[in-house]
Amino acid sequence: MNDFINTYGFLIISLVLQAILALSMYLPLMAGQLSLATPGFYAIGGYVAAILSVRTFLPASGTTFPEPLQSFVLWLGTVFPATPQGQAFPVSLLLVEMLIAGVLCGLLAIIVGLPALRLRGIYLALATIAFVEIVRVVSLNLPITGGSIGIFGIPQPYPTKFEFAWIAVPFLVIVALFVYRLERVRVGRALVSLREDELAAAAMGINPTYHKVLAFTLGAVIAGACGALSAHFINTWNARQGTFDASILILAYVIIGGSRTWLGPIVGAFLLTALPEVLRGAADVQGIPTFLAQFLKDGRLIIFGLLIAFSTLFFPQGLITPNLFKRRGGSEGER
Amino acid sequence: MSDTNGLLRIGSLTRAFGGLVAVNNVSFAVNEGEIFGLIGPNGAGKTTLFNLVTGLTPPTSGELYFKGRNITGSRPHQIAKLGMGRTFQNIRLFPNLTALENVMVAQHIHTRSGVLSGVLGLPRDRREEREAREKAQGLLEMVNLADRAQVQARNFPYGDQRRLEIARALALQPKLLLLDEPAAGMNPNEKAGLSTFIREVKEKFSLTVLLIEHHVPTVMGLCDRIAVLNFGQLIALGNPAEVQSNPAVIEAYLGDES
Amino acid sequence: MLAQQLANGLAIGSVYAIFALGYTLIFSILGIINFAHGAIFTLGAYFTYTLMGLQFGFNGLLAQQKLPFGLPFWVALLVGAVIAGLFGVFLERIIFRPLRARGADPLLTLVASLGLAVAIVNIIQYLVGAETYSYPSGAALPGAPASVNFGTTEAPVIIRTAQLIIIAVAVLILIVLTFFINRTKTGRALRAVSEDATTSSLLGINTNQLIRLTFFLSGFVGGVAGTLVGLNVGITGPYLGISFGLKGLAVIVLGGLGSIPGAVVGGLLIGIVEALVPASLVSYRDALAFAILFIVLLVRPQGLLGRPLIQKV
Amino acid sequence: MSAQSVLEIRGLTVNYGAIQALKDVTITVHAGEVVTLIGANGAGKSTTLRAVSRLLNPRSGSIQYQGKDIARLRADEVVRAGIAHVPEGRRVLARLTVEDNLRLGAFVRTDNEAIEADLQAQFKRFPRLLERRKQLAGTLSGGEQQMLAIARALMSRPQLLLLDEPSLGLAPIIVREIFSIIRDLNQSGVTILLVEQNATLALKNSARGYVLEAGQITLEGPAGALIEDERVRRAYLG
Amino acid sequence: TAQDQAPIQIGVAVAQTSNVALLGQEQVIGAQIAEAFFNERGGVNGRPIQLVLQDTAGDEAGAINAFQTLISANVVGILGPTLSQQAFSADPLAEQAGVPVLAPSNTAKGIPEIGEFIARVSAPVAVVAPNAVAAALDINPDIKTVAVFYAQNDAFATSETGTFQETVTARGLTLLPVQTFQTTDTDFSAQITNVLPSNPELVIISGLAADGGNLVKQLRELGYTGLIIGGNGLNTSNVFPVCQALCDGIIIAQAYSYQADTEINRAFVEAYTAGQGKNPPQFSAQAFAGIQVFVEALTRLDNVIPLETLDVAQTRALLNAFILTGRYDTPLGTLTFTRDGEIIQAQFYVAQIDMADDGQTGQFVFIR
Ligand SMILES: Nc1ncnc2c1ncn2[C@@H]1O[C@H](COP(=O)(O)OP(=O)(O)OP(=O)(O)O)[C@@H](O)[C@H]1O
Ligand SMILES: Nc1ncnc2c1ncn2[C@@H]1O[C@H](COP(=O)(O)OP(=O)(O)OP(=O)(O)O)[C@@H](O)[C@H]1O
Ligand SMILES: [Mg+2]
Ligand SMILES: [Mg+2]
């Protein structure tokens, strides 16, 4: 058991964090908005935590800021004291970082979302990818984000990766419960009606802009806080954490898992994150022929890709559909 | 424009699509409590006029007043909130939602529950949710769809979808109900039933109804007054008898043998 | 200097454009973003390499292998592109058609194409390694100079020959495709299928056959593009095409989804914007390109040449 | 009535998931006839037409067209065999022009000159379409779209025409026009299976009729007899 | 003999997939040659070694997963990961678990400082890079203006360019505005146009093989005739197919020379050439050296305390101490470590690329 946790502890927490990101992308999708901005907010959240905990904001010897910025920076330095060697980073501060990251991303989401959410479908997707790219390039250029090397040596709140479960699991549970409930109440119904038919929804008195920005912002808050947690979790943070590839991968979680109910994104994230590692593990299973073991190792991404492609055939609405929960009329006769 | 003090006043409304003037300088008023018909040949601009009134299409020029307020340029959800509900000529239900959910969505403006309180399920929100559900169920009963409340809207046959749309519009508790060809796709028997139904809900909810319909007996039997559009222009306005005998209307719309 | 930067933009942009042409073709007919296009593009480059009878490197299953014969470059390019086209048809048969038959969400199709892309890229790596390959220099136009100066010696406007070939071929493909789609009966049927496949079948259109044709054309164009880009920058590994995925998407969206001239205009425009970024801001180049894309979309939500999103209520 | 049958539907059963939409439906249409199918909302009229044009797969039953089984053909092959379907809800190709829509109606034909002539004939029939020739079909008014859908179906010169509520959303003048077209077509030898809510008008223009209730045929007979039938009068003629 | 006993497992966590695989594949080859080579010579006092390969792919999570798997598999030490950024996230795990790590190619600043158990056999760029500038000035003492290009999204290229720029300034040369690109770029004409009108006499490129090779090619095609220095990312025969004949003359500082005339290097070159048909690149040599350090340190340890008497944790801890205190004659030359784990390498080289007339094959000719 201990062995298992040692080997797979990191993976298990990764699953949880990826599931949170999947839900963050699911929220705007609930309102029919194909936003791929999640990795952008995730990256920003991570930088917030990295900068605060590694104290990169503190001016290197001698540099001073003009007042009142200087006092603010000094004050920030007292709030986030240096973590002494060999001592754990206080969990309370980690939670504060998550909060700050969430709020910051939320505000940014409103600013980005108000203009961007006038776009639809693929156009919106691309505008949000543009956002992700801009965040990436800017963080490559700023000194405070450490350029392409990024920020490393982020202090650890726990001695082992698996213990991040103390924060990650409740975080996922809260987010999942939130989305689960949201789907069943007034605001959630308004979001879904926008996905179904925006014009008709507007004619029923639902303010499209407000609700779209709301869903987008909620997603951003979650992604930002998740980024803050992840920065500690993977020790280092750099511009490669929030990229187009991540956008697409998270979208795959949501779609493969099922994009019409809260459980889908979670299941999708679990499966797709675990799969390459399961294949890695399968190669080490005793007794399988060496050629197969070799292929499982070298070709594991081939299998991964094919599984993604072909699973869509068997679950054309995603793995988890609302019909799993309630019985509704199907349409098998339609060609 | 100044003499009438109707619930809905349309002043010199014009809408052009490129070179095509779909609605051309139309003015009239719909009085509170009446059933007002809008007829005219295909492509005369009736649906466009509906879209202008409900804010889905911005006018090229002209003005709109609803309950005495200038609503020109208001957004659709704002107009809906003021008390205007509508159905669509090409049915626009929320296809993957159940009939019940379709109706509940339309109660949005009459419920309060916010994101957090709703998610937390505070007692007040639970009550509100339950009431909304009951009210929606009641509306479905009125349109005879209560037994299929849990069926997704897209699985309803055409005629039932029309009725569901009406139920959904009623859930807005509108002052003014706009129906775009509500009887399309119904047989004469069902059309007669629909007429009765419209009259009933009008009384029950003290509605004003603005209605587009091509089925002449339905229109004539139901409406207090009728406006006739042709090529975007208002060519006649009056009670059914007047309109029916108007030579211009016969020529453009009814045809001679009716 | 400005003229040279514009020429640079044209050159960069033509690569984006030629990549985007096949990409947009599938989008315009099927309404799906086919991420596997980047992989087919890459395959095209490798097919041509193989058909020229050139040898593979030291990694992968096919290490040190080569065909017993070798075709001249342009013949290999055409045959390779046909194989790439057939490969597209094959993917259509095994994934996209079944998905259509099951009424899958377009996003799911996108994800499936992503899976295919991952698989293909890794199959390439499994077979021939991650090494770089290239066609022999001068393969395309033996004896031609490496670049052509369109300006004077004092104020040079230089474009590299490989890029001139790409520009020429991109324009040729654009003309042929535009004519085909707008002027022929099959083209009209294709547009019908892109609107509504069910209704099209009610008009006697064999939708599956046309969609197959689309995949063939897209794969063919992608194969040609992959080879030409390989000629320009070398076959830089299995990720050659995938690395264009993001820019390619930006290009077809900027140009207007489904618009074939839009792909070319969008490609050239992004290329020119990138080239005109002042030297001091060059490290923000990608951000600027995307910022401009963002702004263009806010002003013209349907892209430059896209048809406005009509919604008759 | 002894004419050979063009369309023979036997024992047709169609399910939508768990819902049975048609049960053991049997309908015969003879060459040169107009046959009307009436029934309440959701009775299965559209489903019947969709099964014939192969937009859906029946669970069981046979569909024979001119003596050949078409239950295994693809939708486009059915069109090539000579059947045109004006579907419920118009389904014009929204982002193609009116003219493109019409030309696509003749997709299965290769006689280019005759196609041009037919195009002009449709424009003559529906002058509104001529006016709107270059307009995108999706921006037409509802009624205009309906005209386009009918004209488009005629462009394939069908031998059997399936019409699903052709008068839906049309002004009275145009409705009359549609029925005169139906008569003309029929006189020129086209066989027609008509679904129509305006049952009186439809039956007046047909030879025979079927009444569909909850997925089953409950009545059939000569049109005149159906118009007189008390049950039909009460349920469908209002 | 070596085959009788259970082998000692050494982990190798490098990028076998993703777009970093180009480098990772070279490392795997080097490590595998070392495995065969040392087992042939009796392994660790008669006990064979066995490599346990885990793919890190190109990202941080992949590196962490690979490291976790290896740590749990009870390897005595780990060679890896490929990228510095991956090292920053994965190495702390090994540090925590007390597993010695040798970085085969992490040249960024701060790697050995991650912890006691982290050391590297890859000399930091700051040490290697200046040699190339010196060599260029030897060839052309008239160099005045220098243009610098670097791949902004690559940690390695970013730190390398810093060193290059410092060297250039320190030597009193004029530095033109620095041009950046991304490793995924394929067209560099815009950047080239930015500097070419200023007539630089030397161009320095920090990037990876594909982008760097294309940059060289396009510089030449657009008319640049001066000297070109390539950073360590271009230090692989994989640039040959990219710039072909135009690669000719690129100056590259080396931490390794296949011409180094030592016994171990001759053996390594022979083994590599037999399998791969070309001369070994630096990445393979460094991976070989990494395994060699493990083997020799294990051997010394075994001489002092027999390995059978130690459990895994003890082996790992002692191995780390033995690694840092040893002196190794590797293909890279003689290596020792500082107490931090920083490499002290005795010798560096500068090579120039010489392309054959067909423009397809080439070799690195050592000039220093
Ligand atoms: N978005 C648009 N772009 C171009 N033309 C349009 C647009 N919307 C409507 N039209 C045109 O405006 C005219 C009026 O259309 P509208 O839908 O209002 O007609 P209608 O009176 O409702 O007709 P029907 O009874 O057939 O529904 C039509 O000729 C139509 O083609
Ligand atoms: N896609 C579908 N999925 C599930 N059920 C369907 C679907 N389409 C139709 N049905 C059901 O099949 C039955 C028959 O529908 P159909 O559309 O054939 O009726 P109809 O007679 O044409 O009615 P209308 O006059 O309203 O057009 C109805 O009960 C309807 O609910
Ligand atoms: Mg209308
Ligand atoms: Mg029907």
Side-chain angles (χ1 to χ4, degrees):
Chain A
M1 186 60 203
N2 236 336
D3 241 22
F4 180 82
I5 285 184
N6 278 339
T7 313
Y8 292 108
F10 176 82
L11 180 63
I12 292 168
I13 308 301
S14 299
L15 303 185
V16 172
L17 293 175
Q18 296 299 312
I20 294 171
L21 290 180
L23 284 171
S24 124
M25 192 174 281
Y26 171 73
L27 272 166
L29 208 59
M30 224 176 127
Q33 307 304 306
L34 179 55
S35 154
L36 301 181
T38 289
F41 293 114
Y42 173 72
I44 293 174
Y47 276 120
V48 168
I51 288 170
L52 291 177
S53 63
V54 181
R55 300 154 51 88
T56 12
F57 58 92
L58 281 181
S61 56
T63 36
T64 46
F65 295 95
E67 288 294 340
L69 205 61
Q70 178 71 9
S71 338
F72 176 72
V73 164
L74 289 177
W75 174 76
L76 212 56
T78 59
V79 179
F80 287 91
T83 315
Q85 261 294 298
Q87 214 165 307
F89 185 73
V91 171
S92 56
L93 277 189
L94 171 57
L95 294 176
V96 173
E97 284 171 4
M98 289 171 67
L99 189 74
I100 296 176
V103 170
L104 207 71
C105 288
L107 292 176
L108 191 62
I110 296 173
I111 297 168
V112 174
L114 272 175
L117 289 165
R118 292 175 20 214
L119 301 170
R120 283 162 218 269
I122 273 309
Y123 292 96
L124 172 63
L126 207 79
T128 51
I129 288 175
F131 166 74
V132 174
E133 269 298 289
I134 291 169
V135 170
R136 183 182 74 85
V137 173
V138 168
S139 58
L140 272 178
N141 279 287
L142 293 183
I144 196 169
T145 49
S148 56
I149 297 171
I151 300 169
F152 53 88
I154 299 176
Q156 295 296 300
Y158 298 109
T160 68
K161 295 292 175 198
F162 186 63
E163 281 167 89
F164 273 84
W166 290 114
I167 300 184
V169 172
F171 187 15
L172 174 62
V173 169
I174 289 172
V175 172
L177 270 178
F178 177 85
V179 177
Y180 166 84
R181 279 291 299 160
L182 188 63
E183 278 173 3
R184 280 154 187 76
V185 298
R186 169 176 177 269
V187 177
R189 261 196 309 276
L191 298 181
V192 174
S193 74
L194 285 171
R195 173 176 72 195
E196 293 284 302
D197 187 334
E198 185 175 330
L199 255 154
M204 296 305 128
I206 287 161
N207 183 343
T209 315
Y210 171 81
H211 284 95
K212 285 193 220 168
V213 174
L214 175 72
F216 184 71
T217 306
L218 286 172
V221 170
I222 293 170
C226 183
L229 180 56
S230 299
H232 288 274
F233 179 59
I234 67 174
N235 292 324
T236 175
W237 205 250
N238 54 46
R240 302 185 313 152
Q241 302 308 321
T243 60
F244 173 59
D245 295 354
S247 296
I248 297 301
L249 193 61
I250 299 172
L251 179 67
Y253 301 157
V254 179
I255 303 300
I256 295 257
S259 59
R260 288 188 174 274
T261 165
W262 64 279
L263 191 56
I266 299 180
V267 171
F270 281 7
L271 282 180
L272 291 195
T273 312
L275 195 57
E277 297 310 314
V278 169
L279 292 174
R280 187 203 287 276
D284 292 336
V285 171
Q286 298 295 313
I288 61 168
T290 33
F291 80 90
L292 188 61
Q294 197 55 37
F295 182 72
L296 278 175
K297 259 185 175 154
D298 298 345
R300 98 183 187 281
L301 292 181
I302 300 179
I303 302 174
F304 178 65
L306 291 178
L307 278 177
I308 291 187
F310 285 95
S311 72
T312 59
L313 293 185
F314 297 101
F315 304 96
Q317 315 301 329
L319 289 168
I320 311 287
T321 62
N323 290 359
L324 285 182
F325 302 118
K326 14 179 171 169
R327 275 233 47 83
R328 281 173 173 173
S331 51
E332 164 199 296
E334 206 87 34
R335 282 223 320 195
Chain B
M1 203 60 250
S2 43
D3 48 344
T4 37
N5 225 344
L7 178 68
L8 173 73
R9 282 187 289 137
I10 297 172
S12 315
L13 209 56
T14 298
R15 169 72 210 205
F17 295 106
L20 175 84
V21 187
V23 172
N24 194 349
N25 199 20
V26 171
S27 306
F28 62 85
V30 179
N31 296 323
E32 186 143 8
E34 69 179 339
I35 299 184
F36 191 101
L38 188 58
I39 62 172
N42 296 118
K46 306 178 294 294
T47 299
T48 306
L49 189 68
F50 261 35
N51 293 342
L52 291 169
V53 168
T54 50
L56 295 180
T57 307
T60 308
S61 67
E63 295 198 319
L64 280 164
Y65 290 86
F66 181 54
K67 300 203 284 198
R69 288 171 62 165
N70 189 340
I71 56 164
T72 328
S74 293
R75 313 232 331 260
H77 70 271
Q78 295 166 326
I79 294 177
K81 209 164 173 177
L82 284 177
M84 213 188 278
R86 71 169 288 177
T87 65
F88 295 88
Q89 180 173 7
N90 298 316
I91 297 171
R92 301 193 78 146
L93 288 163
F94 305 123
N96 291 302
L97 298 189
T98 62
L100 189 76
E101 286 166 334
N102 264 279
V103 180
M104 285 178 76
V105 165
Q107 296 183 54
H108 189 83
I109 56 171
H110 298 290
T111 42
R112 297 272 79 79
S113 163
V115 183
L116 259 186
S117 65
V119 162
L120 292 177
L122 303 180
R124 199 182 55 104
D125 300 277
R126 281 174 191 271
R127 181 159 19 90
E128 187 181 276
E129 182 80 11
R130 198 178 53 242
E131 285 167 6
R133 187 172 301 272
E134 279 160 10
K135 207 175 269 173
Q137 192 70 33
L139 284 165
L140 287 178
E141 244 152 59
M142 274 178 57
V143 293
N144 278 330
L145 294 174
D147 54 329
R148 277 176 291 164
Q150 296 302 335
V151 177
Q152 276 169 301
R154 66 184 159 100
N155 293 340
F156 279 89
Y158 194 82
D160 290 349
Q161 294 198 3
R162 288 222 159 279
R163 276 201 292 271
L164 180 54
E165 258 208 328
I166 297 177
R168 185 179 68 172
L170 286 175
L172 267 171
Q173 305 176 21
K175 284 296 289 174
L176 177 66
L177 180 65
L178 294 90
L179 302 173
D180 197 345
E181 299 195 26
M186 298 189 178
N187 66 39
N189 204 17
E190 290 165 334
K191 281 177 175 145
L194 182 74
S195 293
T196 320
F197 173 71
I198 291 175
R199 249 189 239 104
E200 277 171 18
V201 295
K202 184 209 146 201
E203 290 310 324
K204 187 162 169 197
F205 299 104
S206 48
L207 290 174
T208 307
V209 179
L210 176 55
L211 160 109
I212 299 176
E213 183 51 66
H214 282 302
H215 190 243
V216 178
T218 305
V219 183
M220 299 300 165
L222 198 56
C223 297
D224 303 312
R225 288 196 302 147
I226 295 171
V228 188
L229 289 184
N230 191 22
F231 288 111
Q233 285 174 310
L234 187 67
I235 57 167
L237 176 64
N239 64 37
E242 288 164 13
V243 166
Q244 214 160 2
S245 55
N246 183 322
V249 177
I250 293 174
E251 151 100 39
Y253 184 63
L254 299 171
D256 30 24
E257 77 177 80
S258 69
Chain C
M1 182 91 169
L2 180 69
Q4 176 66 56
Q5 290 293 30
L6 281 174
N8 292 342
L10 214 61
I12 307 174
S14 61
V15 172
Y16 297 157
I18 205 167
F19 178 84
L21 275 170
Y23 212 5
T24 202
L25 199 58
I26 291 194
F27 185 88
S28 65
I29 305 304
L30 292 169
I32 54 170
I33 301 278
N34 178 19
F35 277 116
H37 184 68
I40 293 182
F41 173 98
T42 314
L43 278 178
Y46 280 95
F47 286 153
T48 306
Y49 183 87
T50 315
L51 288 165
M52 287 179 78
L54 300 169
Q55 195 170 32
F56 291 113
F58 299 96
N59 294 312
L61 224 53
L62 298 181
Q64 298 287 282
Q65 303 292 316
K66 65 175 182 181
L67 287 183
F69 60 90
L71 301 175
F73 177 78
W74 290 104
V75 180
L77 175 137
L78 281 180
V79 178
V82 168
I83 300 176
L86 293 177
F87 191 77
V89 172
F90 168 71
L91 294 186
E92 195 275 334
R93 185 66 197 82
I94 60 166
I95 294 282
F96 296 104
R97 169 143 22 134
L99 278 174
R100 234 179 309 125
R102 288 165 175 72
D105 183 337
L107 282 180
L108 193 78
T109 316
L110 182 153
V111 168
S113 76
L114 177 76
L116 287 176
V118 171
I120 295 170
V121 164
N122 283 285
I123 289 172
I124 296 177
Q125 173 162 337
Y126 192 72
L127 292 180
V128 302
E131 291 142 279
T132 54
Y133 295 101
S134 64
Y135 311 112
S137 37
L141 296 177
S147 57
V148 182
N149 187 351
F150 291 90
T152 59
T153 7
E154 299 81 59
V157 181
I158 304 174
I159 301 186
R160 297 184 307 112
T161 313
Q163 300 199 294
L164 287 174
I165 298 177
I166 292 184
I167 296 176
V169 174
V171 170
L172 183 72
I173 294 176
L174 169 69
I175 293 172
V176 172
L177 280 184
T178 314
F179 177 83
F180 173 69
I181 295 212
N182 291 327
R183 291 292 144 76
T184 64
K185 183 170 156 183
T186 315
R188 193 182 301 127
L190 270 179
R191 281 184 287 143
V193 173
S194 76
E195 270 297 312
D196 181 343
T198 314
T199 307
S200 302
S201 69
L202 277 187
L203 303 177
I205 297 171
N206 183 341
T207 51
N208 278 338
Q209 192 185 345
L210 282 188
I211 290 171
R212 220 159 29 232
L213 174 68
T214 310
F215 271 89
F216 177 79
L217 286 177
S218 166
F220 181 87
V221 170
V224 170
T227 303
L228 291 180
V229 171
L231 181 70
N232 182 18
V233 302
I235 305 172
T236 54
Y239 287 83
L240 174 69
I242 300 295
S243 58
F244 285 99
L246 176 57
K247 278 282 166 57
L249 196 60
V251 163
I252 61 176
V253 169
L254 179 67
L257 286 177
S259 159
I260 290 177
V264 172
V265 170
L268 295 184
L269 195 78
I270 290 194
I272 288 171
V273 166
E274 289 190 356
L276 290 186
V277 170
S280 56
L281 287 180
V282 113
S283 56
Y284 283 95
R285 196 179 65 177
D286 282 7
L288 281 175
F290 277 97
I292 285 172
L293 174 76
F294 191 87
I295 292 163
V296 168
L297 285 183
L298 294 187
V299 179
R300 250 188 99 76
Q302 73 272 32
L304 293 172
L305 299 189
R307 293 165 293 189
L309 308 155
I310 49 150
Q311 267 237 21
K312 175 79 169 72
V313 187
Chain D
M1 264 314 131
S2 63
Q4 111 203 67
S5 72
V6 172
L7 183 70
E8 284 255 20
I9 304 174
R10 274 206 220 98
L12 185 67
T13 300
V14 174
N15 280 42
Y16 291 109
I19 302 168
Q20 188 165 58
L22 289 184
K23 196 177 164 208
D24 202 16
V25 166
T26 295
I27 291 173
T28 306
V29 183
H30 300 290
E33 264 190 329
V34 178
V35 171
T36 296
L37 197 55
I38 57 177
N41 281 157
K45 308 179 292 294
S46 303
T47 303
T48 309
L49 297 196
R50 276 188 230 137
V52 174
S53 62
R54 300 286 299 120
L55 287 183
L56 47 75
N57 285 321
R59 171 147 296 191
S60 60
S62 76
I63 304 172
Q64 295 218 322
Y65 170 66
Q66 293 181 331
K68 292 187 298 280
D69 188 10
I70 57 168
R72 290 279 154 270
L73 297 186
R74 288 192 312 267
D76 60 288
E77 292 169 333
V78 170
V79 181
R80 280 176 202 278
I83 302 179
H85 180 178
V86 179
E88 185 175 57
R90 300 148 192 153
R91 306 201 71 155
V92 296
L93 298 165
R95 297 211 282 191
L96 270 61
T97 62
V98 168
E99 182 173 337
D100 277 343
N101 266 276
L102 288 172
R103 286 188 184 280
L104 279 165
F107 183 79
V108 295
R109 293 169 55 186
T110 47
D111 47 344
N112 288 334
E113 274 133 57
I115 291 176
E116 288 307 316
D118 278 5
L119 189 64
Q120 297 314 320
Q122 302 310 331
F123 285 143
K124 195 148 165 268
R125 230 177 228 141
F126 301 105
R128 180 48 73 87
L129 295 184
L130 181 60
E131 277 170 42
R132 297 280 190 264
R133 185 173 182 156
K134 295 286 173 218
Q135 189 172 327
L136 297 187
T139 64
L140 294 176
S141 84
E144 290 163 350
Q145 292 185 6
Q146 185 70 33
M147 296 176 213
L148 178 58
I150 295 169
R152 186 179 63 187
L154 296 182
M155 286 297 291
S156 72
R157 289 209 178 163
Q159 282 147 316
L160 172 64
L161 183 61
L162 312 175
L163 287 169
D164 200 343
E165 306 197 24
S167 75
L168 186 105
L170 292 179
I173 281 195
I174 310 289
V175 173
R176 245 163 276 143
E177 173 67 24
I178 296 289
F179 276 93
S180 96
I181 293 169
I182 291 175
R183 280 190 298 272
D184 286 354
L185 285 173
N186 186 233
Q187 255 144 41
S188 66
V190 180
T191 309
I192 294 170
L193 177 56
L194 175 66
V195 167
E196 185 50 68
Q197 297 292 2
N198 195 335
T200 320
L201 195 53
L203 287 173
K204 272 188 190 150
N205 285 288
S206 1
R208 292 183 305 112
Y210 289 83
V211 177
L212 201 52
E213 277 173 23
Q216 286 177 292
I217 301 286
T218 51
L219 260 181
E220 60 173 288
L226 285 181
I227 296 184
E228 299 304 321
D229 189 295
E230 195 43 41
R231 284 167 297 175
V232 175
R233 293 192 81 88
R234 218 177 323 113
Y236 304 110
L237 304 183
Chain E
T1 63
Q3 269 64 38
D4 298 342
Q5 287 165 287
I8 302 172
Q9 298 197 317
I10 300 173
V12 176
V14 295
Q16 291 168 271
T17 60
S18 89
N19 49 3
V20 192
L22 193 55
L23 305 178
Q25 284 180 350
E26 290 186 348
Q27 294 173 323
V28 170
I29 294 170
Q32 282 173 337
I33 290 175
E35 179 186 29
F37 179 81
F38 290 107
N39 280 340
E40 180 79 11
R41 293 186 164 196
V44 176
N45 292 330
R47 205 169 145 194
I49 59 158
Q50 183 188 26
L51 301 189
V52 185
L53 295 179
Q54 283 298 344
D55 174 22
T56 60
D59 61 354
E60 286 74 6
I64 292 183
N65 280 322
F67 267 56
Q68 289 277 24
T69 309
L70 290 174
I71 292 169
S72 306
N74 289 331
V75 297
V76 295
I78 298 174
L79 183 78
T82 306
L83 298 178
S84 296
Q85 289 143 320
Q86 294 179 309
F88 287 129
S89 71
D91 285 356
L93 296 176
E95 172 69 17
Q96 213 166 33
V99 181
V101 172
L102 282 175
S105 56
N106 307 151
T107 49
K109 222 168 77 186
I111 297 285
E113 289 79 5
I114 292 175
E116 284 174 42
F117 284 84
I118 317 298
R120 62 173 155 197
V121 292
S122 44
V125 279
V127 185
V128 187
N131 296 309
V133 180
L137 283 169
D138 279 355
I139 298 174
N140 178 6
D142 296 333
I143 291 175
K144 296 272 163 348
T145 12
V146 181
V148 172
F149 294 74
Y150 76 98
Q152 186 197 10
N153 60 338
D154 184 70
F156 170 73
T158 311
S159 29
E160 189 183 66
T161 196
T163 306
F164 275 127
Q165 290 174 33
E166 281 164 23
T167 315
V168 166
T169 332
R171 294 212 168 224
L173 308 173
T174 317
L175 190 61
L176 294 175
V178 175
Q179 301 295 312
T180 60
F181 56 91
Q182 312 271 318
T183 49
T184 48
D185 282 353
T186 52
D187 192 298
F188 308 92
S189 32
Q191 288 95 331
I192 293 172
T193 307
N194 281 339
V195 295
L196 224 44
S198 320
N199 291 318
E201 288 112 3
L202 173 64
V203 165
I204 303 179
I205 299 170
S206 296
L208 298 177
D211 45 337
N214 267 312
L215 179 46
V216 169
K217 175 178 171 185
Q218 291 170 23
L219 268 167
R220 294 297 187 207
E221 289 183 346
L222 292 173
Y224 176 70
T225 52
L227 286 174
I228 297 177
I229 291 177
N232 200 31
L234 280 73
N235 190 5
T236 151
S237 56
N238 271 307
V239 296
F240 299 163
V242 184
C243 43
Q244 299 182 322
L246 301 177
C247 302
D248 206 62
I250 302 177
I251 299 166
I252 295 176
Q254 304 273 349
Y256 168 69
S257 161
Y258 63 83
Q259 287 173 341
D261 197 16
T262 60
E263 189 204 326
I264 182 87
N265 189 44
R266 277 195 301 272
F268 169 62
V269 173
E270 191 181 317
Y272 187 94
T273 321
Q276 308 294 318
K278 58 177 182 180
N279 288 321
Q282 179 185 309
F283 282 95
S284 301
Q286 286 172 329
F288 181 97
I291 298 298
Q292 181 180 357
V293 169
F294 275 127
V295 172
E296 292 183 3
L298 282 165
T299 310
R300 282 189 293 120
L301 169 59
D302 190 48
N303 291 339
V304 181
I305 313 169
L307 290 175
E308 304 88 74
T309 63
L310 299 171
D311 67 12
V312 184
Q314 291 165 330
T315 312
R316 287 168 168 175
L318 289 169
L319 174 59
N320 191 51
F322 274 81
I323 286 175
L324 295 183
T325 52
R327 186 187 158 86
Y328 310 88
D329 284 318
T330 70
L332 304 176
T334 305
L335 304 184
T336 52
F337 294 94
T338 68
R339 283 187 47 202
D340 259 356
E342 184 63 277
I343 182 177
I344 303 173
Q345 188 173 343
Q347 184 146 30
F348 295 102
Y349 311 88
V350 177
Q352 208 167 6
I353 293 178
D354 176 32
M355 296 300 293
D357 290 338
D358 65 355
Q360 298 299 308
T361 52
Q363 55 177 335
F364 290 91
V365 178
F366 286 83
I367 55 175
R368 267 168 86 109

